[in-house]
Amino acid sequence: MDKILVIYYSFTGNSKTVAEYVKNKLNADILELEPKVPFSSDYDEVVRQWQNNDIKRDVEIKPVDIDLSKYNKIVLITCTWWYGISPVMKKFLKEYDLSKKDIIVASSNAGWIGHCFKDYETLLPNSNIKGELDLLFSANDGERNKILTTQKEIDDWVKCL
Ligand SMILES: Cc1cc2nc3c(=O)[nH]c(=O)nc-3n(C[C@H](O)[C@H](O)[C@H](O)COP(=O)(O)O)c2cc1C
């Protein structure tokens, strides 16, 4: 029987909302990734600090207390930071082995997803990536939590798993 795990990192809650939706839809388990040291609560400061978010730059994360070998299917959701996947998700993919698993990936963004899918592909060379979702939220100040991707688009992506 399939065992599915949803793994996500969310700075402002958008990826978290979708991760919880997918968890319920698939009757999956869920794992939230967290940086060892919290990022600043000042949004603009974090944006400035992470202007260089290349594939090599990551952060220490809290240890993952879950047996990943129990799961054959994985859902990965992160926010987009400066055109790439978040440093927290990067560090997780560098530290933990998801090879041979079926995986679907998503990156929540405000219109500039950049090279996020390439980042996932680079860091998951031995996994079977079955679906990629551009998870679009509003870029307008005061509306950053408004989702623009439809529920049908999310449901279709989930079916790829
Ligand atoms: C440091 C930082 C960098 C960002 N860079 C981008 C970007 O390159 N492209 C984009 O579309 N949105 C960018 N955003 C906006 C977020 O990706 C977007 O609001 C996303 O939905 C947030 O997801 P979350 O609520 O799960 O953190 C950035 C936000 C932060 C904090």
Side-chain angles (χ1 to χ4, degrees):
M1 218 189 89
D2 286 333
K3 281 283 281 172
I4 308 174
L5 180 64
V6 177
I7 303 172
Y8 74 95
Y9 171 68
S10 186
F11 182 54
T12 65
N14 293 348
S15 307
K16 180 182 177 131
T17 305
V18 177
E20 282 170 353
Y21 171 76
V22 174
K23 170 209 183 310
N24 291 330
K25 187 165 179 69
L26 295 177
N27 201 13
D29 292 338
I30 193 161
L31 169 68
E32 178 177 16
L33 303 176
E34 291 176 89
K36 205 167 255 175
V37 179
F39 295 109
S40 166
S41 55
D42 180 337
Y43 185 88
D44 293 331
E45 188 183 322
V46 176
V47 170
R48 271 195 305 278
Q49 281 171 347
W50 283 90
Q51 186 145 4
N52 167 17
N53 182 34
D54 68 25
I55 194 99
K56 293 196 210 83
R57 191 170 172 216
D58 54 39
V59 283
E60 293 302 311
I61 59 172
K62 291 190 182 166
V64 165
D65 188 20
I66 197 164
D67 179 6
L68 295 168
S69 69
K70 280 196 330 204
Y71 301 91
N72 59 324
K73 298 193 173 201
I74 305 280
V75 179
L76 297 175
I77 308 176
T78 182
C79 38
T80 301
W81 279 14
W82 289 100
Y83 314 109
I85 60 172
S86 66
V88 169
M89 181 61 80
K90 273 186 275 182
K91 185 65 165 186
F92 170 76
L93 296 178
K94 289 174 191 177
E95 282 196 344
Y96 294 87
D97 182 16
L98 300 181
S99 56
K100 302 206 176 76
K101 297 183 193 295
D102 289 342
I103 301 185
I104 56 172
V105 300
S107 208
S108 62
N109 67 90
W112 301 271
I113 194 170
H115 45 77
C116 287
F117 297 149
K118 185 101 203 347
D119 290 354
Y120 275 126
E121 288 158 19
T122 302
L123 295 171
L124 291 164
N126 301 311
S127 306
N128 187 14
I129 299 180
K130 306 194 81 171
E132 297 174 325
L133 180 67
D134 178 338
L135 198 48
L136 187 61
F137 286 79
S138 173
N140 298 338
D141 275 349
E143 282 198 336
R144 285 204 201 102
N145 299 119
K146 185 174 157 193
I147 191 161
L148 301 176
T149 294
T150 64
Q151 188 172 321
K152 180 173 185 316
E153 286 171 303
I154 297 172
D155 291 347
D156 286 349
W157 166 69
V158 163
K159 279 188 205 140
C160 298
L161 194 59

